[in-house]
């Protein structure tokens, strides 16, 4: 390729001898990102119009493990070559969703968080009920078979494992409560 053609294709922006042709950026589906399982963190941006700022934000979001970035379709810079260059790979790691209404998107995220919290509470309640039933069954078993040392020791081990499961369920509930409190605290700022 001639130097003149290379300079014309690169726009004279210091390409350092390398050019790549890429398709336009594919934005992620907001609802698809919201529905994904697991602990998720969303970064919501409004009014970011400078491509250098957006690139730096995406680079930082990728470093900190943000699950997705949400920004409005209007009054924000699109993902372009400058954003991709400044993001240093962050735009390829962190999905970016564009929405028409940020307030509605934030409400949707809050609804999903509430739904997940209710599901976790219900799962914890079922686990505690099963643990209570197992403990009661083991107590009856121990009373009936008091003379057999080996069965008693086995039952104690099973009771202890049920109690440990109960404690794990409590710890999971506390972890979820902390995450909810943290997210609610972040929303009040």
């Amino acid at each position: 390729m001639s130097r003149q053609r290379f300079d014309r294709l690169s726009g004279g922006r210091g390409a350092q001898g390398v050019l790549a042709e890429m398709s336009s950026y594919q934005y992620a589906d907001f609802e698809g990102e919201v529905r994904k399982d697991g602990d998720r963190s969303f970064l919501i941006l409004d009014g970011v119009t400078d491509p250098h700022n957006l690139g730096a934000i995406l680079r930082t979001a990728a470093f900190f493990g943000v699950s997705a970035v949400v920004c409005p379709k209007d009054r924000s810079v699109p993902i372009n070559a400058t954003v991709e260059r400044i993001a240093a790979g962050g735009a390829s790691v962190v999905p970016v969703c564009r929405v028409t209404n940020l307030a509605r998107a934030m409400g949707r995220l809050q609804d999903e968080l509430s739904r997940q919290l209710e599901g976790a509470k219900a799962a914890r309640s079922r686990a505690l009920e099963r643990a209570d039933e197992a403990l009661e069954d083991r107590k009856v078993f121990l009373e009936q078979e008091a003379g057999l040392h080996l069965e008693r020791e086995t039952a104690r081990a099973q009771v202890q494992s049920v109690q440990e499961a109960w404690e794990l369920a409590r710890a999971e509930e506390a972890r979820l409560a902390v995450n909810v409190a943290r997210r609610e605290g972040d929303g009040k700022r």
Side-chain angles (χ1 to χ4, degrees):
M1 174 181 303
S2 72
R3 185 68 184 171
Q4 290 91 2
R5 183 163 187 239
F6 184 86
D7 288 341
R8 185 173 37 84
L9 289 174
S10 69
R13 289 183 294 234
Q16 299 179 359
V18 177
L19 287 177
E21 187 175 340
M22 299 174 59
S23 61
S24 63
Y25 184 82
Q26 296 297 314
Y27 291 95
D29 175 51
F30 176 70
E31 282 299 320
E33 291 299 321
V34 170
R35 287 190 200 115
K36 287 184 180 177
D37 289 334
D39 284 344
R40 315 254 314 133
S41 60
F42 289 83
L43 177 61
I44 300 174
L45 304 176
D46 189 16
V48 179
T49 58
D50 180 13
H52 292 90
N53 288 344
L54 181 57
I57 289 168
L58 292 176
R59 184 177 63 238
T60 304
F63 177 80
F64 283 104
V66 171
S67 303
V69 172
V70 181
C71 57
K73 288 183 180 177
D74 299 326
R75 296 181 321 276
S76 70
V77 66
I79 305 294
N80 58 28
T82 302
V83 172
E84 295 241 20
R85 180 173 48 85
I86 299 299
S92 300
V93 174
V94 180
V96 177
C97 308
R98 294 186 90 184
V99 296
T100 54
N101 187 316
L102 272 182
R104 193 175 312 136
M106 289 188 297
R108 175 69 181 97
L109 288 171
Q110 187 174 13
D111 291 346
E112 183 64 19
L113 178 62
S114 296
R115 186 191 66 75
Q116 289 177 3
L117 183 59
E118 288 303 316
K121 284 181 180 178
R124 177 193 170 270
S125 178
R126 286 190 301 272
L128 291 176
E129 287 172 9
R130 286 193 303 269
D132 284 340
E133 291 170 3
L135 279 172
E136 190 59 38
D137 290 345
R138 298 302 173 224
K139 287 178 185 175
V140 170
F141 176 76
L142 285 174
E143 290 170 2
Q144 292 173 349
E145 304 293 329
L148 299 173
H149 178 71
L150 181 60
E151 289 180 1
R152 188 176 334 143
E153 291 302 314
T154 302
R156 281 187 188 147
Q158 290 174 342
V159 166
Q160 184 176 1
S161 68
V162 169
Q163 288 171 335
E164 289 171 355
W166 196 359
E167 291 170 8
L168 282 174
R170 283 189 198 148
E172 179 63 16
E173 179 186 35
R175 185 186 68 77
L176 284 170
V178 167
N179 282 342
V180 168
R182 186 180 320 141
R183 289 180 182 162
E184 287 176 355
D186 290 344
K188 292 178 183 176
R189 290 181 194 165

